């Protein structure tokens, strides 16, 4: 059996587009004799933890990635009919640095680049590319779009830009879906690979598990686009080939370029991200210099709040309760947690953003800071 790894796979977290249930992916990979599989949802990483756990449970190696959207101009440009024509790009994390960079890029796609989709741009890709492998993606990839525009020169220029950035971790992606455009693109990419010395990689942009799931997937697309199956002009994939193909099927289609199959295994070997569970990892809250410890600052803020409500000399009952609450929070090791929550609530309030009881009481530890008589509200510290 040829060795092959699926490196371009959409789960149910490619909302209303990916029909693969996360738990089914590693199972199916294993059934077909593959020992690794990637997750590359559209613009998000919501599924990666569940995916990681599901893979570990099956003894399959998880490869953490994302099919990001790349803005045609900068991530800040948001003009109709121009900036909604984003490109696709597959990014896979090789190591912890790559995972952090990928998380950062995807987050920035939402916080800075959101326009129809969470979009990154070439500026931040350059800045946060360390530890990442890039594949040129589907027909919506930048290189492929230029090939389809019959602008090979531009396609090569874009491919070289990626090669300069990612070095040997940039691959031209070919797919066996049989679409006429893809057949043309595959041929051009194989030529380009030789000419520019950029390795090829075979993927199948899997949106569903088995060939027969293609019909259900079409229904999912109808739900996404608000169409009926009877609508002639609905968006569709145009083929039933986007499933988790077996290594044999992949190798058979690309028997003329076996290196594209071999490279999937090499890439899988390069990707080694481990998640650690069970350790609470709170961010460290940086306190102002004049305070020696986090607890000092926490006591300072709390005391200020107490004074605002009860004056310089609060009644003994209040003071005792105050001391008791502080001691519990400190003993439980939640001082930083409270400072962090205070920080974002305080930021929201000073920037005109509404925060209500739900924000605060949604916190897991609210019970230990709520005072029964409700006179002392901690979110007003
Ligand atoms: Zn794509
Ligand atoms: Zn895709």
């Amino acid at each position: 059996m040829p060795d092959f790894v699926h490196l371009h796979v959409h789960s149910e977290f490619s909302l209303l587009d990916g029909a693969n249930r996360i738990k089914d992916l590693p199972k199916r990979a294993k059934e077909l004799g593959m020992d690794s599989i990637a997750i590359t949802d559209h613009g998000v990483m919501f599924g990666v933890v569940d995916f990681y756990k599901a893979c570990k449970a099956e003894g399959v190696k998880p490869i953490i990635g994302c099919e990001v959207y790349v803005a045609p101009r900068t991530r800040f440009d948001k003009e109709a009919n121009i900036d909604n024509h984003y490109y696709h790009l597959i990014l896979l994390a090789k190591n912890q640095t790559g995972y952090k960079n990928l998380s950062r890029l995807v987050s920035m796609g939402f916080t800075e680049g959101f326009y129809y989709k969470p979009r990154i741009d070439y500026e931040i890709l350059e800045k946060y590319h360390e530890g990442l492998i890039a594949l040129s993606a589907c027909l919506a990839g930048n290189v492929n779009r230029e090939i389809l525009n019959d602008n090979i020169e531009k396609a090569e220029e874009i491919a070289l830009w990626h090669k300069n950035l990612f070095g040997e971790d940039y691959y031209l992606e070919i797919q066996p879906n049989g679409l006429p455009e893809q057949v043309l693109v595959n041929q051009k990419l194989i030529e380009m690979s030789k000419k520019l010395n950029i390795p090829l990689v075979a993927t199948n942009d899997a949106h569903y598990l088995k060939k027969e799931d293609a019909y259900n997937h079409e229904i999912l697309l109808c739900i996404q686009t608000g169409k009926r199956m009877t609508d002639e002009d609905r968006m569709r994939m145009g083929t039933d080939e986007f499933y988790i193909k077996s290594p044999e099927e992949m190798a058979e289609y690309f028997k003329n370029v076996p290196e594209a199959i071999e490279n999937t295994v090499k890439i899988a070997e390069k990707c080694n991200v481990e998640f650690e569970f069970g350790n609470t990892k709170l961010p460290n809250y940086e306190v102002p210099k004049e305070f020696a410890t986090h607890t000092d600052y926490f006591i300072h803020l709390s005391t200020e709040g107490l004074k605002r409500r009860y004056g310089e000399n609060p009644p003994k009952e209040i003071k005792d309760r105050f001391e008791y609450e502080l001691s519990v929070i400190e003993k439980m090791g939640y001082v930083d947690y409270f400072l962090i929550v205070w920080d974002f609530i305080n930021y929201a309030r000073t920037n005109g953003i509404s925060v209500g009881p739900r924000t605060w009481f949604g916190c897991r530890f609210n019970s230990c800071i709520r005072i029964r008589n409700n006179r002392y509200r901690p979110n007003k510290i």
Side-chain angles (χ1 to χ4, degrees):
M1 186 202 305
D3 282 336
F4 173 78
V5 177
H6 278 282
L7 298 171
H8 185 160
V9 181
H10 294 278
S11 82
E12 59 207 287
F13 285 95
S14 291
L15 296 184
L16 296 178
D17 186 18
N20 285 309
R21 295 278 181 212
I22 280 189
K23 64 178 180 3
D24 296 339
L25 285 170
K27 267 196 196 110
R28 186 65 182 153
K30 205 164 138 183
E31 261 169 36
L32 294 171
M34 292 173 275
D35 61 5
S36 313
I37 186 166
I39 183 169
T40 55
D41 280 315
H42 277 305
V44 303
M45 295 170 73
F46 302 143
V48 302
V49 171
D50 287 348
F51 177 77
Y52 181 94
K53 288 181 177 170
C55 284
K56 290 283 173 180
E58 289 293 333
V60 167
K61 179 174 166 181
I63 297 164
I64 306 301
C66 181
E67 182 167 22
V68 294
Y69 297 104
V70 184
R73 301 193 289 179
T74 81
R75 65 193 183 280
F76 300 108
D77 291 313
K78 298 173 184 182
E79 202 181 319
N81 297 323
I82 298 176
D83 298 301
N84 46 335
H85 298 293
Y86 37 74
Y87 307 112
H88 293 187
L89 181 71
I90 295 286
L91 296 176
L92 304 170
K94 283 202 287 186
N95 46 36
Q96 302 310 116
T97 306
Y99 176 67
K100 279 191 182 162
N101 278 337
L102 187 58
S103 305
R104 186 185 287 256
L105 285 168
V106 167
S107 297
M108 288 173 90
F110 276 97
T111 56
E112 296 181 350
F114 197 91
Y115 185 61
Y116 291 94
K117 302 284 183 187
R119 307 167 313 151
I120 65 161
D121 64 12
Y122 290 115
E123 186 206 353
I124 51 175
L125 192 59
E126 223 170 339
K127 207 165 165 189
Y128 301 114
H129 74 279
E130 205 192 322
L132 293 173
I133 292 174
L135 321 183
S136 61
C138 59
L139 293 176
N142 201 353
V143 174
N144 297 347
R145 286 258 178 92
E146 292 304 338
I147 291 176
L148 293 171
N149 287 340
D150 209 16
N151 193 348
I152 297 290
E153 210 173 300
K154 181 81 180 151
E156 288 182 355
E157 188 189 305
I158 295 161
L160 283 174
W161 184 90
H162 286 86
K163 186 189 172 175
N164 284 340
L165 184 65
F166 290 97
E168 58 185 22
D169 288 328
Y170 177 60
Y171 294 80
L172 296 173
E173 192 174 336
I174 49 175
Q175 299 184 0
N177 55 49
L179 294 170
E181 297 91 335
Q182 186 74 53
V183 172
L184 171 77
V185 161
N186 287 351
Q187 185 205 327
K188 296 289 178 197
L189 290 178
I190 291 169
E191 288 166 17
M192 197 186 290
S193 159
K194 282 194 197 112
K195 185 174 170 194
L196 305 181
N197 195 23
I198 301 174
L200 290 169
V201 64
T203 73
N204 199 36
D205 202 356
H207 281 68
Y208 38 90
L209 212 59
K210 297 179 182 174
K211 198 179 180 75
E212 57 267 32
D213 297 330
Y215 181 78
N216 289 346
H217 180 257
E218 283 207 31
I219 295 173
L220 196 67
L221 287 184
C222 282
I223 297 170
Q224 186 204 135
T225 51
K227 296 280 185 183
R228 291 170 190 272
M229 287 296 272
T230 48
D231 289 342
E232 278 302 312
D233 63 339
R234 68 189 160 86
M235 178 181 118
R236 60 182 92 190
M237 306 288 268
T239 172
D240 58 359
E241 297 290 328
F242 291 105
Y243 61 96
I244 302 286
K245 292 193 170 177
S246 69
E248 291 82 357
E249 285 173 290
M250 294 298 294
E252 171 59 26
Y253 193 93
F254 288 122
K255 56 177 180 286
N256 296 334
V257 274
E259 70 272 23
I261 300 291
E262 287 155 20
N263 283 341
T264 64
V265 179
K266 285 186 192 156
I267 292 172
E269 281 166 3
K270 283 194 220 175
C271 294
N272 296 290
V273 171
E274 292 291 330
F275 289 167
E276 188 189 337
F277 298 108
N279 273 345
T280 307
K281 288 180 180 168
L282 279 173
N284 178 39
Y285 187 84
E286 274 182 37
V287 298
K289 282 190 190 69
E290 56 270 34
F291 295 92
T293 66
H294 293 193
T295 304
D296 287 353
Y297 187 50
F298 178 60
I299 291 173
H300 163 78
L301 289 172
S302 308
T303 310
E304 289 294 303
L306 187 71
K307 276 187 203 161
R308 268 203 308 280
R309 281 168 183 75
Y310 298 99
E312 289 295 326
N313 291 307
K316 187 178 179 311
E317 182 206 352
I318 298 292
K319 205 149 188 328
D320 288 350
R321 186 73 208 192
F322 176 75
E323 301 290 344
Y324 172 69
E325 297 287 342
L326 288 191
S327 72
V328 171
I329 290 166
E330 200 187 347
K331 221 183 301 164
M332 289 175 75
Y334 289 132
V335 168
D336 275 51
Y337 172 82
F338 276 83
L339 285 173
I340 290 161
V341 176
W342 168 79
D343 195 21
F344 68 70
I345 299 269
N346 185 48
Y347 176 86
R349 296 207 157 158
T350 47
N351 284 278
I353 301 163
S354 303
V355 282
R358 193 175 281 266
T359 318
W360 183 260
F361 295 132
C363 297
R364 279 157 61 199
F365 309 110
N366 67 69
S367 57
C368 66
I369 46 82
R370 278 177 72 188
I371 288 183
R372 314 297 182 267
N373 62 17
N374 211 23
R375 271 183 297 164
Y376 169 56
R377 289 175 185 270
N379 53 349
K380 286 187 183 160
I381 287 174

